[in-house]
Amino acid sequence: MQIGGYTLSHGLFLAPLAGVSDRSFRRVARRFGAEYTVSEMVSAKALCYEQISKRPVTETRVRTAPLAAVLREEAPMAVQLFGAEPDFVAEAARLLESGEYRGACGEIPPAAIDINMGCPMAKIVGNGEGSALLKNPALAAEIVRATARAVSLPVTVKIRAGWDAESINAVEVAKRLEDAGAAMICVHGRTRAQMYAPSADWGIIRAVKEAVSVPVVGNGDVFSGEDALRMLRETGCDGVMIARGAQGNPWIFSEVAAALDGRPYTPPTREERLAVALAHAEDIVREKGERIGVAESRKHMAWYLHGLRGAASARNAVMTANTLDDLRAIFSSLMQAEP
Ligand SMILES: Cc1cc2nc3c(=O)[nH]c(=O)nc-3n(C[C@H](O)[C@H](O)[C@H](O)COP(=O)(O)O)c2cc1C
């Protein structure tokens, strides 16, 4: 599929994951086959306020802009904005495209501006943002229209099936977003009320795909190559977006690519899994410094160790690691241990 100037041969997307899909996570996902990544969600309003703030730009004060920074090596990567006010979302998008935003540590503009219309968190929907926009399709469309007018980058949207079981309206919303200028729509087949369980309804992805002519990316419950094939077959979607299935398992993208190509897939060995996990932690520390980096690495390391024989006590040890050397020691004894 095509997005902006980019062609994705397998249509493999790494999903936006607040608190997870930072640069290190995106990097390791891309290494193993993710063709397109999305930033963690970024507040449009915070980005705009930081821009007009009179306070000096320092790492500690500017907290939003680094989340939206895109390096050359990361293309194609979208930046995802959340917000409920068309002017703020449009202005934040303009700042990102022009590279004007304060504290910018990126090298290139994003491949696209993605707008979050799926986040279920109370503090987000309480402001009318994220999935709350599904309750107001006219406003959702206005946000896309204003943003598409403000930038020449593609404007894409990530939606859910609807707000709750009584108001499943992804098809209506998707049509209005397409009319307003959305260049691609990603559908997570759950309502806001369902949060992340039970299983996603792929029927709604199919219904959206049949209703619009822009590319539709399916999302929800892809945890293997077989899942991805089934989603593509059952929904006709143009691409597959993976979130939780990539946590501690960036190889899922190689697995899906192999399934699409009809090639056999060889999962990583225990040694490779451990080596990639540790390299991931080292990369987080390089990006964020040791104190924050080790703290943020813990959950990733626990995901990598999940299901690995003999790793239960190492998972506990990871949770109390304070330095990179602590992590190295844990991984080194795992590597020497008999599986
Ligand atoms: C920890 C976490 C953070 C998330 N953050 C975002 C986000 O910032 N923006 C967004 O659109 N969706 C976010 N999502 C939703 C995922 O992108 C995805 O739609 C959802 O997890 C379903 O896909 P999956 O079954 O592949 O996990 C988040 C999900 C999780 C679990």
Side-chain angles (χ1 to χ4, degrees), residues 50-105:
E50 272 179 15
Q51 181 73 11
I52 55 172
S53 164
K54 297 270 187 297
R55 291 195 297 187
V57 175
T58 65
E59 274 298 314
T60 48
R61 291 212 171 113
V62 174
R63 290 179 304 154
T64 302
L67 291 177
V70 185
L71 300 186
R72 207 162 272 115
E73 63 172 79
E74 296 190 277
M77 168 189 157
V79 171
Q80 187 187 64
L81 295 172
F82 69 93
E85 288 152 88
D87 290 349
F88 275 112
V89 180
E91 174 60 6
R94 192 193 66 74
L95 291 170
L96 290 172
E97 178 171 54
S98 66
E100 276 172 44
Y101 63 104
R102 278 162 53 104
C105 29

Side-chain angles (χ1 to χ4, degrees), residues 15-20 39-41 80 114 116 118-119 158 160 188 190 196 219-223 241-245 247:
L17 282 156
V20 176
S39 72
E40 301 172 71
M41 64 180 189
Q80 187 187 64
D114 188 59
N116 181 319
C119 181
K158 185 156 170 285
R160 281 184 175 242
H188 173 195
R190 287 192 180 85
Y196 296 103
N219 170 239
D221 296 348
V222 172
F223 293 100
M241 179 177 276
I242 300 173
R244 292 165 302 168
Q247 293 177 163

Side-chain angles (χ1 to χ4, degrees), residues 113-137:
I113 301 295
D114 188 59
I115 303 179
N116 181 319
M117 299 195 187
C119 181
M121 281 157 58
K123 69 175 182 195
I124 302 291
V125 296
N127 292 331
E129 300 165 331
S131 57
L133 288 165
L134 301 174
K135 292 195 286 186
N136 192 343

Side-chain angles (χ1 to χ4, degrees), residues 32 78 99 203 212 215 278 281 297:
F32 292 106
V212 298
L278 185 58
S297 291

Side-chain angles (χ1 to χ4, degrees), residues 259-334:
L260 290 174
D261 295 344
R263 285 183 283 112
Y265 165 70
T266 312
T269 60
R270 174 188 172 89
E271 289 67 32
E272 186 183 3
R273 185 173 290 278
L274 293 172
V276 168
L278 185 58
H280 186 164
E282 288 170 345
D283 195 47
I284 300 176
V285 167
R286 242 188 325 273
E287 291 284 343
K288 302 187 179 183
E290 187 159 42
R291 193 177 59 80
I292 295 174
V294 169
E296 292 195 5
S297 291
R298 291 184 193 129
K299 59 179 181 277
H300 292 281
M301 298 306 103
W303 287 324
Y304 280 102
L305 296 177
H306 186 79
L308 212 63
R309 267 196 289 153
S313 61
R315 277 178 65 151
N316 293 336
V318 156
M319 288 305 166
T320 54
N322 289 314
T323 65
L324 194 50
D325 279 343
D326 291 345
L327 288 177
R328 286 187 177 127
I330 295 165
F331 276 79
S332 151
S333 58
L334 271 174

Side-chain angles (χ1 to χ4, degrees), residues 113-115 117 144 155-159 177 182 184-186:
I113 301 295
D114 188 59
I115 303 179
M117 299 195 187
V144 169
V155 176
T156 64
V157 192
K158 185 156 170 285
I159 63 174
L177 300 179
M184 179 189 91
I185 296 170
C186 173

